[in-house]
């Protein structure tokens, strides 16, 4: 990638994170030619077993993909979403596209690859709170995803927000180039960029991920990561310091996160949001930090909770909510995901957001 322009330079759009949030607030609810959020990456057919795969048995068929989990979550909350990924010219690909259409996600820019299959993911519940995931995505259509689809989206009507994950660049050289092109287009059109690190150790090493991700920080407006992913975005020397830090009893996690976030804010990131699982989430901006505890729910399936969190955060951002409102909706949608089986199936509609406060045994008639 070429060196990014200064954050206050021509072509970038609004000069600061605060001003960009203010602009979104002013335009909330107003007509917009493009999508509210555009994302792209690989979505696979998902098979979920009821126990160890080696014992056989029945499996539920669905779809799964971090980017489309977010797109579906946003669509259910009333936002216009666009997915520009790639599937194979097969029945599995048709299932992906059909499901996304049914959930109100625009797939008009999605590519159908006649020479590569749709990817496959197997979920193997092994213990009540432990699930093993098996990927079959080498040589898939998603691993050959090019930049043409995302270029078409921006040429037609640039979205308000471009949502990316650290999964897509790990799929191969073509998807990596496509993400780089997407970042350049977002810069040119003044589109806000949200990046969820979503590190997958089975796809690439921490060293390779860090080399790519830290290159992108000057392009990122909202960075979302778990506390163990945040160091991947730091300069090499600071990444080593974070890895060597004492994480035993008494470790000042909050202080370490604040220090890492400050580095990222200095690099140009507008807001750093750290997902802390059952401990909730903390957001850092130039004006300070704010913590929001998790919503208490009975955990059923933690898969997809991070994507649901992102959908809630972006939804509130598009609605013009302040930092407290963004975190509040994020932990709420994340709780819905934890309390429901599946990657995206439990994502709430806007009307359902208040249901978590209902007392046990409530029947909604």
């Amino acid at each position: 990638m070429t060196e990014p322009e200064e954050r206050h330079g021509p072509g970038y759009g609004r000069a600061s994170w605060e001003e960009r949030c203010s602009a979104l607030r002013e335009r909330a609810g107003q007509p917009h030619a493009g999508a509210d959020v555009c994302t792209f990456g690989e979505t696979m057919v998902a098979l979920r077993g009821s126990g160890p795969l080696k014992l056989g048995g029945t499996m539920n068929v669905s779809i799964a993909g971090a980017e489309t989990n977010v797109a579906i979550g946003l669509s259910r909350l009333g936002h216009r979403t666009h997915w520009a990924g790639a599937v194979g010219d097969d029945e599995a690909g048709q299932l992906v596209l059909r499901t996304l259409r049914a959930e109100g996600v625009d797939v008009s820019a999605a590519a159908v690859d006649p020479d590569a299959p749709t990817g496959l993911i197997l979920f193997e519940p092994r213990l009540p709170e432990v699930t093993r995931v098996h990927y079959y995505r080498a040589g898939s259509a998603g691993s050959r995803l090019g930049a043409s689809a995302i270029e078409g989206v921006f040429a037609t009507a640039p979205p308000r927000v471009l949502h990316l994950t650290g999964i897509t660049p790990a799929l191969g050289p073509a998807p990596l180039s496509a993400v780089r092109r997407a970042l350049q287009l977002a810069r040119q059109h003044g589109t806000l960029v949200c990046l969820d690190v979503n590190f997958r150790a089975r796809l690439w090493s921490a060293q390779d991920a860090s080399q790519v991700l830290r290159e992108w920080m000057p392009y990122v407006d909202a960075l979302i990561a778990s506390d163990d992913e945040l160091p991947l975005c730091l300069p090499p020397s600071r990444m080593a310091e974070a890895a060597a830090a004492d994480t035993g009893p008494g470790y000042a996690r909050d202080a370490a996160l604040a220090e890492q976030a400050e580095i990222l804010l200095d690099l140009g990131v507008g807001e750093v949001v750290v997902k802390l699982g059952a401990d909730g989430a903390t957001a850092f901006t130039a004006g300070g930090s704010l913590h929001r505890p998790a919503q208490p729910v009975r955990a059923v399936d933690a898969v997809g909770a991070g994507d649901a969190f992102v959908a809630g955060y972006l939804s509130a951002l598009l609605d013009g909510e302040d930092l407290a409102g963004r975190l509040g909706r994020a932990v709420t949608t994340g709780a819905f995901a934890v309390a429901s089986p599946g990657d995206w199936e439990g994502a709430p509609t806007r009307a359902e957001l208040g249901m978590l406060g209902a007392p046990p045994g409530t029947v909604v008639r």
Side-chain angles (χ1 to χ4, degrees), residues 215-258:
E215 174 188 339
W216 295 352
M217 289 304 104
Y219 290 82
V220 175
D221 294 290
L223 176 67
I224 301 178
S226 59
D227 56 347
D228 60 336
E229 292 172 335
L230 204 60
L232 296 175
C233 304
L234 300 174
S237 60
R238 306 310 294 265
M239 179 183 175
E241 291 176 15
D246 177 16
T247 58
Y251 174 62
R253 182 187 66 181
D254 293 347
L257 291 177

Side-chain angles (χ1 to χ4, degrees), residues 65-308:
E67 298 81 11
T68 46
N69 291 345
V70 173
I72 290 171
L74 282 163
S75 180
R76 289 194 180 178
L77 292 170
H79 302 282
R80 296 176 60 191
T81 58
H82 200 143
W83 180 69
V87 297
D89 186 11
D90 48 32
E91 292 297 300
Q94 289 301 309
L95 174 62
V96 170
L97 298 178
R98 181 177 182 272
T99 303
L100 293 176
R101 290 191 193 101
E103 289 293 333
V105 178
D106 187 340
V107 294
S108 58
V112 178
D113 191 332
D115 300 316
T118 301
L120 173 66
I121 182 170
L122 303 180
F123 292 94
E124 179 188 19
R126 198 62 189 86
L127 292 170
E129 296 185 5
V130 178
T131 299
R132 290 194 293 213
V133 176
H134 307 273
Y135 295 112
Y136 298 87
R137 60 202 312 175
S140 68
S143 70
R144 295 152 52 106
L145 176 65
S148 58
I150 199 68
E151 288 174 341
V153 170
F154 274 90
T156 303
R160 285 176 169 163
V161 176
L162 172 68
H163 173 61
L164 303 170
T165 77
I167 298 173
T168 305
L171 299 177
L176 173 59
S177 296
V179 177
R180 285 174 170 160
R181 178 59 176 151
L183 288 169
Q184 293 167 349
L185 289 168
R187 173 60 55 88
Q188 293 169 15
H189 291 276
T191 294
L192 188 147
V193 174
C194 173
L195 172 65
D196 184 2
V197 173
N198 246 330
F199 175 65
R200 297 289 185 269
R202 291 191 178 185
L203 296 179
W204 58 351
S205 68
Q207 182 178 0
D208 289 342
S210 181
Q211 185 174 353
V212 170
L213 294 172
R214 63 175 179 253
E215 174 188 339
W216 295 352
M217 289 304 104
Y219 290 82
V220 175
D221 294 290
L223 176 67
I224 301 178
S226 59
D227 56 347
D228 60 336
E229 292 172 335
L230 204 60
L232 296 175
C233 304
L234 300 174
S237 60
R238 306 310 294 265
M239 179 183 175
E241 291 176 15
D246 177 16
T247 58
Y251 174 62
R253 182 187 66 181
D254 293 347
L257 291 177
E259 181 180 352
Q260 294 167 21
E262 183 178 358
I263 296 169
L264 294 166
L265 293 172
D266 288 343
L267 290 174
V269 178
E271 184 163 300
V272 178
V273 183
V274 184
K275 298 176 289 187
L276 300 170
D279 291 334
T282 301
F284 299 88
T285 68
S289 64
L290 182 67
H291 177 77
R292 183 67 184 252
Q295 289 271 22
V297 292
R298 185 177 60 161
V300 173
D301 184 357
V303 176
D307 302 327

Side-chain angles (χ1 to χ4, degrees), residues 65-74 77 163 196 198 224 275 301-316 326-340 342-348 353:
E67 298 81 11
T68 46
N69 291 345
V70 173
I72 290 171
L74 282 163
L77 292 170
H163 173 61
D196 184 2
N198 246 330
I224 301 178
K275 298 176 289 187
D301 184 357
V303 176
D307 302 327
F309 177 97
V310 173
Y313 170 86
L314 289 178
S315 171
R326 297 195 288 273
L327 283 182
R329 192 174 300 177
V331 298
T332 297
T333 51
F336 268 92
V338 171
S340 308
D343 266 39
W344 51 269
E345 287 83 351
L353 287 173

